[in-house]
Amino acid sequence: MQAGVSRASKCRKKKVWVPCQTPRIVRWHVMEITRVFVYVTLMAGLSNYYVIKPFVKSICAGKTRGILYDLPYGYPAVKPGQGVVHGEVIELQDVAEALQVLDNLEGYNGPGAPGNLYERVVQEVELAGGERVLAYLYIWGRPAALEELGTVVP
């Protein structure tokens, strides 16, 4: 089993291979992702929450690894890193439709597509109660440029 991933977590929709260990045997099973980690403007009550609200099944406070930046455009960005980003973990209903709506908002046209504003990745997040689950996360598509564009949010 992947370190920190609960066998009981209810991840659905995107198929991700996760090791499942039994004594002396390693098996692989497929988990489907049903959660998205959101930060700042997509959080409940903030400016872009209305976009995701129709797809919300549940919301829980959470955190994940990364570095949060404040951009001059009025929205934030995250890049991979050793910092901690606090936000919300939203369990989605109608996952495929929800991802299309979020992809449109985040300027995501597919993995590595030219012109992506953000990339959609799957990353481990920690829920408020300590459980670790996999969730989608939108990270800045050009992380090397973030230091010039924005300011790190502590």
Side-chain angles (χ1 to χ4, degrees), residues 93-113:
Q93 53 193 6
D94 301 322
V95 176
E97 186 178 348
L99 290 176
Q100 286 180 333
V101 169
L102 288 170
D103 289 350
N104 186 53
L105 175 70
E106 303 291 7
Y108 173 74
N109 300 303

PDB file of all heavy atoms in Angstrom, residues 93-113:
ATOM      1  N   GLN A  93     -19.439  15.090  -6.617  1.00  0.00           N
ATOM      2  CA  GLN A  93     -20.398  14.238  -7.297  1.00  0.00           C
ATOM      3  C   GLN A  93     -20.326  14.640  -8.770  1.00  0.00           C
ATOM      4  O   GLN A  93     -19.873  15.734  -9.076  1.00  0.00           O
ATOM      5  CB  GLN A  93     -21.796  14.420  -6.732  1.00  0.00           C
ATOM      6  CG  GLN A  93     -22.274  15.852  -6.686  1.00  0.00           C
ATOM      7  CD  GLN A  93     -23.531  16.001  -5.842  1.00  0.00           C
ATOM      8  OE1 GLN A  93     -23.984  15.069  -5.208  1.00  0.00           O
ATOM      9  NE2 GLN A  93     -24.094  17.188  -5.849  1.00  0.00           N
ATOM     10  N   ASP A  94     -20.719  13.763  -9.676  1.00  0.00           N
ATOM     11  CA  ASP A  94     -20.591  14.030 -11.117  1.00  0.00           C
ATOM     12  C   ASP A  94     -19.160  14.471 -11.432  1.00  0.00           C
ATOM     13  O   ASP A  94     -18.922  15.554 -11.980  1.00  0.00           O
ATOM     14  CB  ASP A  94     -21.593  15.088 -11.585  1.00  0.00           C
ATOM     15  CG  ASP A  94     -23.034  14.691 -11.322  1.00  0.00           C
ATOM     16  OD1 ASP A  94     -23.361  13.492 -11.483  1.00  0.00           O
ATOM     17  OD2 ASP A  94     -23.832  15.567 -10.936  1.00  0.00           O
ATOM     18  N   VAL A  95     -18.206  13.620 -11.070  1.00  0.00           N
ATOM     19  CA  VAL A  95     -16.780  13.971 -11.131  1.00  0.00           C
ATOM     20  C   VAL A  95     -16.342  14.415 -12.522  1.00  0.00           C
ATOM     21  O   VAL A  95     -15.660  15.431 -12.663  1.00  0.00           O
ATOM     22  CB  VAL A  95     -15.909  12.803 -10.624  1.00  0.00           C
ATOM     23  CG1 VAL A  95     -14.431  13.120 -10.784  1.00  0.00           C
ATOM     24  CG2 VAL A  95     -16.238  12.494  -9.174  1.00  0.00           C
ATOM     25  N   ALA A  96     -16.723  13.674 -13.559  1.00  0.00           N
ATOM     26  CA  ALA A  96     -16.277  14.021 -14.915  1.00  0.00           C
ATOM     27  C   ALA A  96     -16.750  15.419 -15.307  1.00  0.00           C
ATOM     28  O   ALA A  96     -15.979  16.221 -15.846  1.00  0.00           O
ATOM     29  CB  ALA A  96     -16.778  12.981 -15.915  1.00  0.00           C
ATOM     30  N   GLU A  97     -18.001  15.738 -15.027  1.00  0.00           N
ATOM     31  CA  GLU A  97     -18.538  17.063 -15.353  1.00  0.00           C
ATOM     32  C   GLU A  97     -17.863  18.139 -14.498  1.00  0.00           C
ATOM     33  O   GLU A  97     -17.516  19.213 -14.988  1.00  0.00           O
ATOM     34  CB  GLU A  97     -20.051  17.088 -15.149  1.00  0.00           C
ATOM     35  CG  GLU A  97     -20.689  18.386 -15.613  1.00  0.00           C
ATOM     36  CD  GLU A  97     -22.204  18.402 -15.454  1.00  0.00           C
ATOM     37  OE1 GLU A  97     -22.807  17.352 -15.198  1.00  0.00           O
ATOM     38  OE2 GLU A  97     -22.767  19.507 -15.569  1.00  0.00           O
ATOM     39  N   ALA A  98     -17.670  17.838 -13.209  1.00  0.00           N
ATOM     40  CA  ALA A  98     -17.002  18.795 -12.321  1.00  0.00           C
ATOM     41  C   ALA A  98     -15.602  19.113 -12.824  1.00  0.00           C
ATOM     42  O   ALA A  98     -15.184  20.281 -12.835  1.00  0.00           O
ATOM     43  CB  ALA A  98     -16.939  18.241 -10.899  1.00  0.00           C
ATOM     44  N   LEU A  99     -14.864  18.093 -13.264  1.00  0.00           N
ATOM     45  CA  LEU A  99     -13.503  18.318 -13.754  1.00  0.00           C
ATOM     46  C   LEU A  99     -13.505  19.146 -15.037  1.00  0.00           C
ATOM     47  O   LEU A  99     -12.618  19.984 -15.234  1.00  0.00           O
ATOM     48  CB  LEU A  99     -12.778  16.993 -13.959  1.00  0.00           C
ATOM     49  CG  LEU A  99     -12.420  16.256 -12.671  1.00  0.00           C
ATOM     50  CD1 LEU A  99     -11.781  14.908 -12.994  1.00  0.00           C
ATOM     51  CD2 LEU A  99     -11.501  17.083 -11.772  1.00  0.00           C
ATOM     52  N   GLN A 100     -14.496  18.942 -15.900  1.00  0.00           N
ATOM     53  CA  GLN A 100     -14.573  19.770 -17.113  1.00  0.00           C
ATOM     54  C   GLN A 100     -14.761  21.242 -16.750  1.00  0.00           C
ATOM     55  O   GLN A 100     -14.119  22.120 -17.329  1.00  0.00           O
ATOM     56  CB  GLN A 100     -15.726  19.314 -18.005  1.00  0.00           C
ATOM     57  CG  GLN A 100     -15.448  18.026 -18.733  1.00  0.00           C
ATOM     58  CD  GLN A 100     -16.626  17.604 -19.614  1.00  0.00           C
ATOM     59  OE1 GLN A 100     -17.773  17.946 -19.344  1.00  0.00           O
ATOM     60  NE2 GLN A 100     -16.320  16.857 -20.656  1.00  0.00           N
ATOM     61  N   VAL A 101     -15.639  21.510 -15.793  1.00  0.00           N
ATOM     62  CA  VAL A 101     -15.892  22.887 -15.360  1.00  0.00           C
ATOM     63  C   VAL A 101     -14.631  23.480 -14.729  1.00  0.00           C
ATOM     64  O   VAL A 101     -14.242  24.614 -15.036  1.00  0.00           O
ATOM     65  CB  VAL A 101     -17.093  22.928 -14.386  1.00  0.00           C
ATOM     66  CG1 VAL A 101     -17.219  24.286 -13.714  1.00  0.00           C
ATOM     67  CG2 VAL A 101     -18.379  22.563 -15.113  1.00  0.00           C
ATOM     68  N   LEU A 102     -13.980  22.707 -13.851  1.00  0.00           N
ATOM     69  CA  LEU A 102     -12.756  23.193 -13.206  1.00  0.00           C
ATOM     70  C   LEU A 102     -11.629  23.375 -14.219  1.00  0.00           C
ATOM     71  O   LEU A 102     -10.874  24.357 -14.148  1.00  0.00           O
ATOM     72  CB  LEU A 102     -12.327  22.236 -12.098  1.00  0.00           C
ATOM     73  CG  LEU A 102     -13.203  22.250 -10.846  1.00  0.00           C
ATOM     74  CD1 LEU A 102     -12.827  21.103  -9.922  1.00  0.00           C
ATOM     75  CD2 LEU A 102     -13.094  23.586 -10.127  1.00  0.00           C
ATOM     76  N   ASP A 103     -11.488  22.435 -15.147  1.00  0.00           N
ATOM     77  CA  ASP A 103     -10.455  22.549 -16.186  1.00  0.00           C
ATOM     78  C   ASP A 103     -10.623  23.845 -16.969  1.00  0.00           C
ATOM     79  O   ASP A 103      -9.648  24.541 -17.268  1.00  0.00           O
ATOM     80  CB  ASP A 103     -10.505  21.361 -17.145  1.00  0.00           C
ATOM     81  CG  ASP A 103     -10.023  20.056 -16.535  1.00  0.00           C
ATOM     82  OD1 ASP A 103      -9.458  20.070 -15.421  1.00  0.00           O
ATOM     83  OD2 ASP A 103     -10.238  19.006 -17.175  1.00  0.00           O
ATOM     84  N   ASN A 104     -11.864  24.177 -17.299  1.00  0.00           N
ATOM     85  CA  ASN A 104     -12.145  25.406 -18.030  1.00  0.00           C
ATOM     86  C   ASN A 104     -11.745  26.637 -17.204  1.00  0.00           C
ATOM     87  O   ASN A 104     -11.092  27.551 -17.712  1.00  0.00           O
ATOM     88  CB  ASN A 104     -13.627  25.464 -18.410  1.00  0.00           C
ATOM     89  CG  ASN A 104     -13.932  26.637 -19.291  1.00  0.00           C
ATOM     90  OD1 ASN A 104     -13.306  26.836 -20.320  1.00  0.00           O
ATOM     91  ND2 ASN A 104     -14.907  27.433 -18.886  1.00  0.00           N
ATOM     92  N   LEU A 105     -12.132  26.647 -15.939  1.00  0.00           N
ATOM     93  CA  LEU A 105     -11.777  27.761 -15.056  1.00  0.00           C
ATOM     94  C   LEU A 105     -10.260  27.905 -14.927  1.00  0.00           C
ATOM     95  O   LEU A 105      -9.726  29.020 -14.951  1.00  0.00           O
ATOM     96  CB  LEU A 105     -12.387  27.559 -13.665  1.00  0.00           C
ATOM     97  CG  LEU A 105     -11.993  28.599 -12.617  1.00  0.00           C
ATOM     98  CD1 LEU A 105     -12.634  29.949 -12.913  1.00  0.00           C
ATOM     99  CD2 LEU A 105     -12.367  28.119 -11.224  1.00  0.00           C
ATOM    100  N   GLU A 106      -9.567  26.786 -14.792  1.00  0.00           N
ATOM    101  CA  GLU A 106      -8.121  26.793 -14.525  1.00  0.00           C
ATOM    102  C   GLU A 106      -7.259  26.849 -15.789  1.00  0.00           C
ATOM    103  O   GLU A 106      -6.035  26.827 -15.709  1.00  0.00           O
ATOM    104  CB  GLU A 106      -7.730  25.557 -13.702  1.00  0.00           C
ATOM    105  CG  GLU A 106      -8.483  25.428 -12.391  1.00  0.00           C
ATOM    106  CD  GLU A 106      -8.119  26.481 -11.349  1.00  0.00           C
ATOM    107  OE1 GLU A 106      -7.370  27.426 -11.660  1.00  0.00           O
ATOM    108  OE2 GLU A 106      -8.587  26.347 -10.215  1.00  0.00           O
ATOM    109  N   GLY A 107      -7.868  26.916 -16.959  1.00  0.00           N
ATOM    110  CA  GLY A 107      -7.096  27.001 -18.190  1.00  0.00           C
ATOM    111  C   GLY A 107      -6.294  25.743 -18.459  1.00  0.00           C
ATOM    112  O   GLY A 107      -5.155  25.806 -18.924  1.00  0.00           O
ATOM    113  N   TYR A 108      -6.896  24.586 -18.168  1.00  0.00           N
ATOM    114  CA  TYR A 108      -6.224  23.294 -18.346  1.00  0.00           C
ATOM    115  C   TYR A 108      -6.839  22.573 -19.543  1.00  0.00           C
ATOM    116  O   TYR A 108      -8.040  22.346 -19.592  1.00  0.00           O
ATOM    117  CB  TYR A 108      -6.395  22.455 -17.070  1.00  0.00           C
ATOM    118  CG  TYR A 108      -5.891  21.037 -17.193  1.00  0.00           C
ATOM    119  CD1 TYR A 108      -4.527  20.766 -17.198  1.00  0.00           C
ATOM    120  CD2 TYR A 108      -6.778  19.975 -17.308  1.00  0.00           C
ATOM    121  CE1 TYR A 108      -4.067  19.472 -17.311  1.00  0.00           C
ATOM    122  CE2 TYR A 108      -6.315  18.674 -17.410  1.00  0.00           C
ATOM    123  CZ  TYR A 108      -4.964  18.422 -17.421  1.00  0.00           C
ATOM    124  OH  TYR A 108      -4.513  17.144 -17.532  1.00  0.00           O
ATOM    125  N   ASN A 109      -5.991  22.214 -20.515  1.00  0.00           N
ATOM    126  CA  ASN A 109      -6.450  21.586 -21.757  1.00  0.00           C
ATOM    127  C   ASN A 109      -5.949  20.162 -21.937  1.00  0.00           C
ATOM    128  O   ASN A 109      -6.003  19.630 -23.033  1.00  0.00           O
ATOM    129  CB  ASN A 109      -6.016  22.430 -22.951  1.00  0.00           C
ATOM    130  CG  ASN A 109      -6.599  23.823 -22.881  1.00  0.00           C
ATOM    131  OD1 ASN A 109      -7.808  23.983 -22.813  1.00  0.00           O
ATOM    132  ND2 ASN A 109      -5.746  24.831 -22.854  1.00  0.00           N
ATOM    133  N   GLY A 110      -5.438  19.565 -20.888  1.00  0.00           N
ATOM    134  CA  GLY A 110      -4.898  18.201 -20.966  1.00  0.00           C
ATOM    135  C   GLY A 110      -3.463  18.191 -20.496  1.00  0.00           C
ATOM    136  O   GLY A 110      -2.795  19.234 -20.462  1.00  0.00           O
ATOM    137  N   PRO A 111      -2.966  17.007 -20.136  1.00  0.00           N
ATOM    138  CA  PRO A 111      -1.598  16.908 -19.590  1.00  0.00           C
ATOM    139  C   PRO A 111      -0.543  17.484 -20.527  1.00  0.00           C
ATOM    140  O   PRO A 111      -0.418  17.072 -21.674  1.00  0.00           O
ATOM    141  CB  PRO A 111      -1.391  15.398 -19.420  1.00  0.00           C
ATOM    142  CG  PRO A 111      -2.771  14.809 -19.413  1.00  0.00           C
ATOM    143  CD  PRO A 111      -3.624  15.719 -20.245  1.00  0.00           C
ATOM    144  N   GLY A 112       0.183  18.486 -20.028  1.00  0.00           N
ATOM    145  CA  GLY A 112       1.301  19.069 -20.776  1.00  0.00           C
ATOM    146  C   GLY A 112       0.901  19.847 -22.016  1.00  0.00           C
ATOM    147  O   GLY A 112       1.759  20.175 -22.834  1.00  0.00           O
ATOM    148  N   ALA A 113      -0.389  20.170 -22.184  1.00  0.00           N
ATOM    149  CA  ALA A 113      -0.831  20.891 -23.385  1.00  0.00           C
ATOM    150  C   ALA A 113      -0.200  22.279 -23.426  1.00  0.00           C
ATOM    151  O   ALA A 113      -0.124  22.959 -22.400  1.00  0.00           O
ATOM    152  CB  ALA A 113      -2.353  20.999 -23.410  1.00  0.00           C
TER     153      ALA A 113
END
